[in-house]
Amino acid sequence: MSKPRAYSVKAYSTPGAQSPLATFSISRREPTDNDVQLEILYCGVCHSDLHFARNEWGFTQYPAVPGHEIIGRVTAVGGKVKKFKVGDTVGVGCLVDSCRTCPDCRAGLEQFCPEMVMTYGSTDRHLGTPTLGGYSQGIVVSEEFVLRIPANLSLAATAPLLCAGITTYSPLRRWKVGPGQKVGIVGLGGLGHMGVKFARAFGAHVVLFTTSPGKSADAKRLGAHDVVVSKDEAQMAAHAGSFDFILDTVSAKHDLNAYINLLKRDGNLVLVGAPNEPLPVSAFPLIMRRRSFSGSLIGGLPETQEMLDFCGQHHITSDIEMIRMDQINEAYERMLKSDVKYRFVIDMASLK
């Protein structure tokens, strides 16, 4: 199979871990028969973008273009594309390809495919070059990895659903969170605020855990029934052994055992935050109450579409702060200080 031709688009890129992002020209492939080409309208800013740009995970190839919460308008489709047409509003999340044949792919769990191709930081199967993300004017993606966006949702506020949304929706659905259950959400950031919204929409009694007493009113506005300040031992002790499920969205060092002790028998603590260093877990709190501790990674394409449709039905979007493309370096520094409510989204028209 011959390589497709490439064309140039403007993007925000960094040439190295210590360099700020700035305007560069990058190459995209011309659409193949099964591809969808889109003009990017909005791109969310995920903490993973910062990790990747600064090579904090150790696999970044430069020049690097972050961005995997993409909302765009279809500008061209390949000859065999059936699901989309020019003018459609669509989304692209963390994945742009996979092997399509392994057990994970056949189960609609492409995020676990050993050959998954991430929106950035992988290798484009067609060009043989590193994949480049959504901080750009346009992108070309295989039809199977493009998602429909409900017409009633704000496009900018929908962008973070493609990562923060599915990351929190998936474990809540997998562990069948619903009415009659007491559910905890640890942390009120980009992930946590979506966890609160989804858990409330699923009908659970929602408790937000935070180290910041000042976040109580906002947590309740977002849907939490109660707020617990996790540094207050008396508040934590009052909830011992009472939770069916806890979703931990914190990426900093913290005490997992304090939350395991809050679970009922057979309760689950699921980690979706990604701390940089290992966190100790004591055996006896798990063993003595048959509790479970596990992790979860975004979601496959079928579940991501289900999540978007659910958001359309329940009018759920992310709380965002819109920025221009040239504000991204400042946004990264603010993100490190948790100075955003609750997700930055780039207006990609500002790149023009």
Side-chain angles (χ1 to χ4, degrees):
M1 183 177 67
S2 61
K3 285 185 180 180
R5 291 182 299 175
Y7 69 100
S8 295
V9 296
K10 191 184 294 185
Y12 245 57
S13 170
T14 177
Q18 307 303 319
S19 301
L21 282 83
T23 307
F24 284 86
S25 180
I26 63 169
S27 293
R28 297 292 194 194
R29 69 176 184 264
E30 293 282 357
T32 66
D33 281 348
N34 301 108
D35 281 339
V36 175
Q37 180 187 58
L38 52 140
E39 172 195 5
I40 298 176
L41 304 176
Y42 301 100
C43 187
V45 180
C46 176
H47 208 108
S48 298
D49 296 350
L50 187 154
H51 289 309
F52 177 70
R54 299 182 178 180
N55 199 27
E56 293 176 358
W57 291 331
F59 64 79
T60 305
Q61 299 180 66
Y62 295 98
V65 179
H68 60 203
E69 298 178 339
I70 298 167
I71 298 293
R73 182 180 297 111
V74 176
T75 54
V77 296
K80 295 182 180 178
V81 171
K82 294 183 172 61
K83 294 196 297 183
F84 303 101
K85 64 183 186 304
V86 172
D88 286 350
T89 304
V90 298
V92 175
C94 302
L95 304 176
V96 292
D97 210 345
S98 69
C99 79
R100 324 289 180 93
T101 59
C102 71
D104 294 317
C105 286
R106 292 200 301 270
L109 299 170
E110 296 90 349
Q111 76 272 30
F112 300 122
C113 173
E115 298 178 29
M116 69 171 178
V117 179
M118 297 182 294
T119 309
Y120 56 78
S122 293
T123 300
D124 185 303
R125 293 174 179 275
H126 299 269
L127 298 177
T129 55
T131 53
L132 303 171
Y135 295 3
S136 59
Q137 291 177 313
I139 194 169
V140 176
V141 180
S142 175
E143 175 183 28
E144 289 85 350
F145 288 80
V146 179
L147 298 146
R148 298 182 306 277
I149 303 300
N152 64 317
L153 298 181
S154 159
L155 295 182
T158 296
L161 300 181
L162 278 306
C163 178
I166 187 58
T167 294
T168 49
Y169 179 93
S170 182
L172 291 167
R173 289 291 281 171
R174 173 167 173 73
W175 275 275
K176 298 179 173 58
V177 164
Q181 291 188 317
K182 184 177 178 183
V183 171
I185 307 294
V186 185
L188 194 65
L191 293 176
H193 94 288
M194 291 306 310
V196 169
K197 291 186 180 191
F198 283 135
R200 180 64 182 255
F202 290 153
H205 180 86
V206 184
V207 180
L208 186 279
F209 293 95
T210 179
T211 58
S212 306
K215 289 187 176 181
S216 180
D218 221 26
K220 290 182 178 179
R221 174 186 66 82
L222 292 164
H225 295 90
D226 298 306
V227 178
V228 172
V229 178
S230 56
K231 293 185 290 189
D232 186 321
E233 293 183 7
Q235 287 189 38
M236 293 289 280
H239 290 271
S242 66
F243 282 86
D244 297 280
F245 181 90
I246 298 176
L247 183 68
D248 188 340
T249 72
V250 175
S251 291
K253 185 177 180 180
H254 61 294
D255 183 7
L256 293 174
N257 298 294
Y259 296 103
I260 291 172
N261 284 323
L262 301 183
L263 295 171
K264 292 179 178 178
R265 170 180 51 80
D266 294 326
N268 292 286
L269 172 66
V270 177
L271 184 66
V272 292
N276 287 332
E277 56 187 274
L279 302 179
V281 174
S282 299
F284 281 101
L286 291 174
I287 293 170
M288 298 305 290
R289 299 296 290 165
R290 202 165 63 189
R291 296 156 169 154
S292 299
F293 172 53
S294 58
S296 182
L297 175 69
I298 50 173
L301 272 297
E303 188 175 50
T304 305
Q305 187 63 62
E306 175 192 305
M307 178 271 305
L308 288 168
D309 294 342
F310 180 88
C311 288
Q313 293 161 11
H314 295 267
H315 305 283
I316 295 172
T317 54
S318 181
D319 283 31
I320 67 167
E321 178 180 337
M322 193 93 79
I323 62 170
R324 300 186 312 272
M325 188 71 259
D326 62 7
Q327 293 176 299
I328 188 61
N329 295 300
E330 175 191 352
Y332 278 6
E333 296 306 315
R334 286 182 56 194
M335 195 161 54
L336 288 171
K337 301 172 186 175
S338 299
D339 179 23
V340 54
K341 289 186 175 180
Y342 282 92
R343 205 72 159 184
F344 289 118
V345 172
I346 306 163
D347 179 358
M348 297 308 301
S350 63
L351 183 56
K352 297 176 182 177

